Amino acid sequence: MCIHLTDISLVGELQSFRVLSLRSSGIHEFPFSLNMLRLLDLLNTIYLKKVQGCLMAPACLEEIYLLNSFSSWDFGFLSIIYHRSIHRLYIHIHNVEYLSQELPYSDFPPQCHPYSFTGTRLKEFRITVGSPTYFDKTYQTNMQITTSKPISTWVKELMQRTENLSLFSCDLDHSCNIRGIVGDSLLTCQNLRKLRISICHAFKDLFSMTLAALGLQKLEILEIVNCHGMKQIVAMAEGEEQVVDMKGLFPNLRSLSMENLPNLTSFCQDGVLLDWPSLQCITIKLCPRLKRLPLGIHSAAKLEMIEGKNEWFQGLECKEERVMSRLQPLHNEYESTDLHNPSEASTSLVSYL
């Protein structure tokens, strides 16, 4: 820790620097144009209020670390994600309005294809818009967003490359599920391996059948927490016809966690039993109206644990009688935790790297 380091005036004279770390320092501004700089680490510089110089027009910068640091970026700065030299970017953006704004073509770097990552080197990112967050180090490409509007093209482009996505406090006036945020394209979520939905009370359901069947083939972990309006996870969208085999939904899902969803009554269409060939763990907490799970006697061959209160588990209704006999040895009762308070539920999101 170097929180007492505040005077870095000498840095501007060292133009040959390739790597500069001021992590956890007490600096208030970073004004330097270091044209040879490759790596800049400003993690945990909580007093940083002004940034200029090489960050505004990066010449050779390849790695930028700015989480838990300066977050009041001008909108045009976001074109840095398309810069040809950047391959690792950790950044927090305070203004959630940017998520619904399109980047002007004039803001894109020279020789860059607007709204395309063709020719760029961005391979690893941790980008949070709105509240700061904790990111699972398992994944190379991570995003957390908070929004009340549909997202713009630059966000969708990033989402297509994202493995770990968190939607936090996303309540749209005109929509009741994730479709209102990401749109109709199945490509937007194609690389997701982990998805966390939390404090999205306006959501009545989460996925359309088409998105669940065709757009989430790689999803391994699904967490849905504190969404009080949620009634069903997978539902038929308006105008959607059931042309997909629902049994094959989520072929790579390993872990399913649903917590504090007081109005949830079903996972998907009543009577449908899913194959779930990869599912290992199910956690159900504070979902008192959920009486059925889409599990048959041949479902989830790899299932190792189903976690939930004993009272809830004993009240499950199964389409096949043998299912309860199969699930009984896998049942584990969890210790009670308070998930009613959104501030408490969000503390894990606010903790840092």
Side-chain angles (χ1 to χ4, degrees), residues 54-340:
C54 57
L55 274 171
M56 298 297 102
C60 301
L61 268 175
E62 299 174 354
E63 302 180 41
I64 300 174
Y65 303 96
L66 269 161
L67 286 174
N68 202 27
S69 179
F70 181 78
S71 61
S72 300
W73 301 102
D74 291 334
F75 181 58
F77 172 77
L78 299 182
S79 63
I80 197 171
I81 64 177
Y82 295 100
H83 200 282
R84 289 181 179 272
S85 68
I86 303 294
H87 67 81
R88 184 174 290 136
L89 179 63
Y90 294 7
I91 188 172
H92 171 215
I93 302 160
H94 178 73
N95 193 337
V96 298
E97 295 296 320
Y98 291 171
L99 290 166
S100 57
Q101 297 178 20
E102 299 291 353
L103 284 166
Y105 280 75
S106 59
D107 286 338
F108 282 89
Q111 300 178 331
C112 172
H113 299 281
Y115 299 119
S116 171
F117 285 97
T118 303
T120 64
R121 299 177 61 203
L122 187 62
K123 303 297 182 185
E124 181 177 336
F125 55 82
R126 299 179 185 179
I127 298 175
T128 175
V129 184
S131 301
T133 188
Y134 163 81
F135 285 121
D136 190 334
K137 296 181 181 179
T138 304
Y139 307 100
Q140 284 195 313
T141 53
N142 306 263
M143 284 189 74
Q144 177 187 292
I145 64 174
T146 298
T147 185
S148 59
K149 300 177 182 178
I151 58 175
S152 60
T153 305
W154 71 269
V155 186
K156 291 178 182 179
E157 287 279 347
L158 274 177
M159 274 194 185
Q160 288 185 28
R161 301 162 68 90
T162 298
E163 297 175 297
N164 177 19
L165 175 64
S166 173
L167 300 182
F168 177 74
S169 191
C170 294
D171 286 331
L172 282 70
D173 294 334
H174 65 286
S175 180
C176 59
N177 56 34
I178 198 173
R179 185 181 183 186
I181 296 175
V182 304
D184 295 318
S185 175
L186 297 178
L187 298 177
T188 306
C189 302
Q190 64 180 345
N191 286 310
L192 285 184
R193 293 172 56 198
K194 179 178 179 180
L195 175 61
R196 179 181 176 88
I197 310 292
S198 57
I199 316 183
C200 296
H201 298 311
F203 283 13
K204 305 302 181 186
D205 56 75
L206 193 53
F207 310 116
S208 67
M209 289 192 300
T210 304
L211 178 60
L214 304 177
L216 294 164
Q217 295 290 302
K218 296 181 180 181
L219 192 65
E220 298 172 354
I221 299 173
L222 177 59
E223 300 174 352
I224 310 166
V225 183
N226 288 305
C227 298
H228 294 171
M230 189 80 65
K231 296 181 178 181
Q232 190 170 326
I233 306 303
V234 180
M236 186 178 296
E238 185 177 349
E240 185 178 38
E241 297 182 6
Q242 187 169 334
V243 295
V244 297
D245 180 12
M246 291 191 66
K247 290 177 60 179
L249 299 185
F250 308 110
N252 288 298
L253 193 69
R254 294 185 289 105
S255 175
L256 171 65
S257 179
M258 299 187 291
E259 305 182 19
N260 198 18
L261 312 178
N263 289 300
L264 184 71
T265 57
S266 63
F267 186 87
C268 58
Q269 184 177 326
D270 195 33
V272 173
L273 303 179
L274 304 184
D275 291 337
W276 271 339
S278 304
L279 191 63
Q280 299 173 14
C281 177
I282 300 174
T283 300
I284 309 293
K285 300 180 181 180
L286 299 176
C287 300
R289 300 182 64 186
L290 182 64
K291 301 298 183 182
R292 293 187 179 184
L293 294 176
L295 290 169
I297 193 64
H298 299 297
S299 300
K302 296 181 180 180
L303 189 63
E304 299 174 356
M305 181 180 72
I306 178 166
E307 187 179 28
K309 294 290 285 185
N310 187 61
E311 181 182 358
W312 168 82
F313 182 76
Q314 296 302 326
L316 277 178
E317 303 169 2
C318 297
K319 190 175 181 180
E320 302 177 33
E321 293 184 5
R322 293 178 298 167
V323 174
M324 280 302 290
S325 298
R326 181 195 162 205
L327 296 180
Q328 188 70 51
L330 306 179
H331 174 236
N332 179 43
E333 185 168 15
Y334 69 91
E335 295 183 5
S336 296
T337 54
D338 184 6
L339 291 173
H340 292 287

Side-chain angles (χ1 to χ4, degrees), residues 11 14-20 34-38:
V11 169
L14 304 172
Q15 291 295 319
S16 61
F17 267 14
R18 299 292 195 277
V19 176
L20 177 60
L34 305 175
N35 294 328
M36 303 300 291
L37 199 63
R38 300 288 192 274

